[in-house]
């Protein structure tokens, strides 16, 4: 299975400041169809995960533009330009290129 | 509004059986792959199984192959997961997800808790 490795695993941030999470895969996530199926999810405590970003850099409907995704191949990043209180929770990267889809360990983002 | 509502989670004995259900609404169910994803208490996420739009193809993670069966009823807009011979390692919240994991992978239902214990 493809191993997804996130860093850091814990990220205390100051409100209004930027935050960045790295995700690396053990294999290239470029599919034979040319797409790179790398998603980012956010899970608030006690809630189910919600997808924020799909195919590396596409924001889902309703996701604020302070969230952005980038990367290619095996190296990916989620950035929050200015952290707000509602952004606390766990962020997961997930690859869908290879079966089975696999997730990173999660990055816990909280407010300092 | 797209909605996925899981049910059927319970306390089950090791070696027993359990069937989870997911009722879908707000979209054309028969046009989407569907999946089950689980999250053990305090742990990360694991994709369990997916099923093609017409039910003709299913994929399973190795840890459940031969024990779990994913199925669907497009006439009832429903997804199922039959869990046979569960072990303590199958204890988790099970989420119903629209999509197969490669393309669409959203939204997720609220989850249903399965506890395997004697």
């Amino acid at each position: 299975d493809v191993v997804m490795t996130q860093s850091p695993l814990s990220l205390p941030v100051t409100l209004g400041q930027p935050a960045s999470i790295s995700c690396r895969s053990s294999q290239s996530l470029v599919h034979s169809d040319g797409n790179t199926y790398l998603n980012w999810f956010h899970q608030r405590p006690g809630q189910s995960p919600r997808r924020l970003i799909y195919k590396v850099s596409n924001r889902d409907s309703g996701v604020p533009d302070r969230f952005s995704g980038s990367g290619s191949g095996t190296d990916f990043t989620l950035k929050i330009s200015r952290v707000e209180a509602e952004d606390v929770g766990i962020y997961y990267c997930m690859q869908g290129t290879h079966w089975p889809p696999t997730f990173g360990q999660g990055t816990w983002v909280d407010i300092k | 509004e797209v909605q996925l509502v899981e049910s059927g989670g319970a306390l089950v004995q090791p070696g027993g059986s359990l069937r989870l259900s997911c009722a879908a609404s707000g979209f054309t169910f028969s046009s989407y792959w569907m999946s089950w994803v689980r999250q053990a208490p305090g742990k990360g996420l694991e994709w369990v199984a997916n099923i093609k739009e017409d039910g003709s193809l299913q994929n399973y993670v190795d840890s459940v192959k031969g024990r779990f069966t994913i199925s669907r009823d497009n006439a009832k807009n429903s997804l199922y997961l039959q869990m046979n011979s569960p072990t303590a390692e199958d204890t988790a919240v099970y989420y119903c997800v629209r999509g197969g994991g490669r393309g669409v992978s959203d939204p997720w239902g609220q989850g249903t808790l399965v506890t395997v214990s004697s």
Side-chain angles (χ1 to χ4, degrees):
Chain A
D1 296 357
V2 176
V3 177
M4 305 296 288
T5 303
Q6 289 182 227
S7 63
L9 299 185
S10 178
L11 183 57
V13 294
T14 302
L15 287 174
Q17 293 300 301
S20 180
I21 301 170
S22 169
C23 175
R24 288 186 173 170
S25 58
S26 60
Q27 301 177 33
S28 172
L29 299 186
V30 180
H31 191 268
S32 56
D33 65 9
N35 290 305
T36 299
Y37 295 101
L38 186 284
N39 302 329
W40 289 95
F41 291 84
H42 177 216
Q43 184 175 34
R44 295 191 177 101
Q47 295 187 14
S48 53
R50 173 200 178 195
R51 196 177 67 180
L52 301 175
I53 302 283
Y54 63 96
K55 287 195 285 185
V56 181
S57 59
N58 298 276
R59 269 192 308 277
D60 273 281
S61 174
V63 174
D65 60 8
R66 64 179 181 274
F67 290 92
S68 64
S70 63
S72 63
T74 61
D75 239 317
F76 304 93
T77 302
L78 175 70
K79 291 183 178 176
I80 311 173
S81 59
R82 295 172 306 279
V83 172
E84 297 190 5
E86 65 181 15
D87 300 338
V88 300
I90 304 176
Y91 290 81
Y92 294 95
C93 61
M94 176 219 129
Q95 68 82 21
T97 298
H98 306 280
W99 180 262
T102 47
F103 295 85
Q105 318 97 299
T107 295
W108 174 252
V109 173
D110 64 356
I111 306 301
K112 280 183 188 173
Chain B
E1 179 196 3
V2 175
Q3 263 202 313
L4 299 169
V5 179
E6 302 94 335
S7 61
L11 172 64
V12 59
Q13 291 192 338
S17 64
L18 194 66
R19 189 197 201 201
L20 306 183
S21 300
C22 170
S25 60
F27 65 102
T28 305
F29 181 73
S30 58
S31 296
Y32 288 85
W33 282 73
M34 295 294 296
S35 298
W36 289 98
V37 179
R38 67 185 178 183
Q39 186 170 35
K43 302 292 186 183
L45 298 160
E46 181 181 39
W47 210 283
V48 174
N50 67 11
I51 186 168
K52 198 176 177 182
E53 296 95 330
D54 61 0
S56 62
L57 179 64
Q58 307 89 34
N59 295 294
Y60 300 91
V61 69
D62 284 349
S63 58
V64 308
K65 244 177 230 180
R67 301 187 299 120
F68 290 9
T69 302
I70 187 172
S71 62
R72 64 193 296 162
D73 185 337
N74 287 345
K76 295 183 177 179
N77 290 340
S78 293
L79 178 72
Y80 306 101
L81 185 68
Q82 178 68 39
M83 304 172 61
N84 294 333
S85 303
T87 69
E89 286 67 45
D90 297 316
T91 294
V93 173
Y94 284 74
Y95 295 102
C96 171
V97 180
R98 184 176 67 167
R102 177 170 300 160
V104 177
S105 49
D106 199 67
W108 297 41
Q110 86 288 349
T112 188
L113 176 62
V114 174
T115 303
V116 184
S117 175
S118 54

